[in-house]
Amino acid sequence: MPAPTTLIARDFTEFRAAVSQSFVPLHVTAGGDGFRGRIRSSAADDVQVSEVTASPHVVERTPELIARGERRYYKLSLILAGTGLLVQDDRQAVLRPGDVALYDTHRPYSLVFEEDFRTLVVMFPQRLIDLPAELVGRLTAVRMSGKEGVGNVVVPFLAQLGGNLEQLGGPAGARLAHSAVDLLSTLVATELDLARANADPHHELMRRIRAHIDANLQSTDLTPARIAAEHFISTRHLHGLFQEQGTTVSGWIRTRRLEHCRRDLLDPVHAGRPVAAIAARWGFVDAAHFSRVFKSAFGRAPSEVRRELTVSVR
């Protein structure tokens, strides 16, 4: 079982390099002399969990750094000790122990720590969260409490995962990583529902449509016409709803199916199941077509991803 990586900075220069090495390129400025910092990290299937302990400093994700073209990630910070200020999209969130907040690495943001602190950071590709980016963008730099509601379930899980980072390197690592992202998706969806319960008449309809799609991904008859009929709307209206959120019906279905295939390919429970059987399970009846769209989406063939599982369980 691979051990988590630990980067210990004896001065600010070392810490600044460690931050960009551990996450995405960032501009970091120190708050004073005698700087100390430590970053412990572990990852599974593109989900990275890091515990950061450091002296006061400021982190900035600038347009120039974003332009370098890294992949799009979301990051979620859970404050464990001290306080922090997150700024993004003209919003500010003051975070105290037990608070969490989401931010997008593809848009400028700042993190300000004015005292010694400890935080848990979960970083994952945006494609892993089962909500449209347009919706998630409404919740960046918004404080979410870990002491009530769904947060009271999600935060203890994340804190326990942070205290057991070595588990991400084991056979159950991918499942733990996906569980963390699924819980975060649930927290975000809940917060969006609370904020928009009466603000958007399309919101509840889209929530039901997305839930219907996820529940029927295995069906080869999951077509726009069938989805529209199930929800008593026209196919044109259905396409319009998805277009408003920057995607298409077929694109959303394909993305959700591919993500489930990827998860199964990395899951030890399905280690003995052929790649073609996993593809068929999630609605891909043509193995060659599945291989092409999978490689286009993830940059690797399904067989290459399956080999990762073989290596991890040895």
Side-chain angles (χ1 to χ4, degrees):
M1 182 182 297
T5 60
T6 301
L7 297 172
I8 298 176
R10 293 163 293 183
D11 57 37
F12 175 68
T13 301
E14 289 185 357
F15 183 78
R16 181 170 53 193
V19 165
S20 291
Q21 178 182 338
S22 300
F23 303 109
V24 292
L26 296 162
H27 179 67
V28 189
T29 52
D33 298 329
F35 191 94
R36 292 292 182 271
R38 185 186 73 167
I39 303 175
R40 295 180 66 248
S41 299
S42 190
D45 191 22
D46 286 342
V47 179
Q48 178 179 301
V49 181
S50 305
E51 183 188 70
V52 182
T53 305
S55 305
H57 66 275
V58 176
V59 172
E60 296 175 281
R61 179 77 165 149
T62 65
E64 292 77 18
L65 294 174
I66 293 169
R68 294 182 182 179
E70 286 85 10
R71 295 166 60 188
R72 297 182 177 220
Y73 291 94
Y74 289 125
K75 293 168 76 175
L76 182 132
S77 285
L78 161 61
I79 298 294
L80 300 172
T83 60
L85 172 68
L86 170 63
V87 181
Q88 187 171 54
D89 298 329
D90 297 321
R91 291 188 289 266
Q92 297 183 4
V94 177
L95 307 175
R96 297 180 175 85
D99 291 340
V100 295
L102 187 75
Y103 44 114
D104 183 343
T105 67
H106 207 66
R107 296 201 297 279
Y109 67 81
S110 299
L111 280 163
V112 181
F113 301 101
E114 295 183 337
E115 59 183 331
D116 291 353
F117 73 96
R118 184 163 60 94
T119 187
L120 192 73
V121 180
V122 183
M123 184 172 77
F124 55 94
Q126 293 186 9
R127 60 175 171 74
L128 292 185
I129 198 166
D130 59 350
L131 292 167
E134 184 271 336
L135 284 182
V136 179
R138 302 182 185 189
L139 206 62
T140 51
V142 172
R143 185 189 75 87
M144 294 178 278
S145 174
K147 299 177 181 178
E148 58 188 31
V150 174
N152 200 29
V153 177
V154 176
V155 166
F157 176 86
L158 295 178
Q160 285 293 320
L161 187 59
N164 296 273
L165 288 179
E166 67 280 355
Q167 297 299 324
L168 283 176
R175 281 204 164 204
L176 286 170
H178 294 149
S179 293
V181 174
D182 287 344
L183 284 171
L184 294 178
S185 298
T186 301
L187 177 60
V188 169
T190 301
E191 293 288 332
L192 287 169
D193 284 340
L194 292 173
R196 304 180 64 214
N198 300 311
D200 184 352
H202 291 161
H203 177 61
E204 175 59 21
L205 176 58
M206 279 300 295
R207 186 196 65 77
R208 287 189 282 111
I209 290 172
R210 289 195 302 271
H212 174 81
I213 289 174
D214 266 11
N216 292 275
L217 287 173
Q218 298 178 353
S219 171
T220 56
D221 194 30
L222 186 63
T223 63
R226 182 69 176 268
I227 295 168
E230 289 285 343
H231 293 84
F232 307 102
I233 60 175
S234 68
T235 304
R236 181 177 180 180
H237 187 194
L238 177 70
H239 286 302
L241 289 172
F242 277 82
Q243 186 175 8
E244 286 177 5
Q245 298 186 354
T247 186
T248 64
V249 182
S250 58
W252 182 260
I253 293 171
R254 182 173 59 251
T255 296
R256 298 298 297 142
R257 282 175 166 165
L258 286 170
E259 188 52 47
H260 279 282
C261 288
R262 178 187 171 90
R263 291 189 179 198
D264 282 0
L265 288 169
L266 287 167
D267 192 336
V269 171
H270 302 294
R273 178 173 289 187
V275 171
I278 288 175
R281 179 190 182 200
W282 294 107
F284 290 102
V285 295
D286 184 329
H289 169 70
F290 166 68
S291 184
R292 286 195 300 271
V293 296
F294 188 96
K295 187 170 184 178
S296 176
F298 301 119
R300 289 175 295 172
S303 56
E304 295 179 78
V305 175
R306 167 53 60 82
R307 280 197 290 272
E308 289 183 17
L309 171 63
T310 305
V311 171
S312 69
V313 298
R314 284 178 182 171

